Amino acid sequence: LAALVQDGRRAVVLSLHDLNLARRYATHVLLLGPGGPRPGPVDAVMTEDALGTAFGHPVMRAEVGGRTVFVSG
């Protein structure tokens, strides 16, 4: 899929509930939850506060092996 969007003329739309897969592969996300939809670049939208509110449970961000991961808080 990544090869298909390299030229910028195509996009891939995908629905995920796995925060770490979304963080790893997406450039932009649409976070749905209380307070309405939050669209934007991954780093701007996928914050601990926003994810915790959307999922109704604390979420912590950590760096593991050079990657950003989210874990249940």
Side-chain angles (χ1 to χ4, degrees):
L1 292 176
L4 291 173
V5 299
Q6 291 279 337
D7 63 9
R9 298 184 318 164
R10 296 184 183 107
V12 173
V13 177
L14 152 78
S15 175
L16 290 173
H17 289 96
D18 185 318
L19 299 177
N20 294 307
L21 282 178
R23 173 68 182 87
R24 185 172 180 186
Y25 293 108
T27 59
H28 289 73
V29 295
L30 173 63
L31 181 61
L32 303 175
R38 291 190 57 181
V42 171
D43 288 332
V45 175
M46 294 184 76
T47 65
E48 291 173 330
D49 288 339
L51 294 170
T53 298
F55 285 91
H57 187 79
V59 174
M60 294 173 29
R61 179 182 172 144
E63 297 294 324
V64 177
R67 288 193 183 148
T68 299
V69 296
F70 294 102
V71 294
S72 177

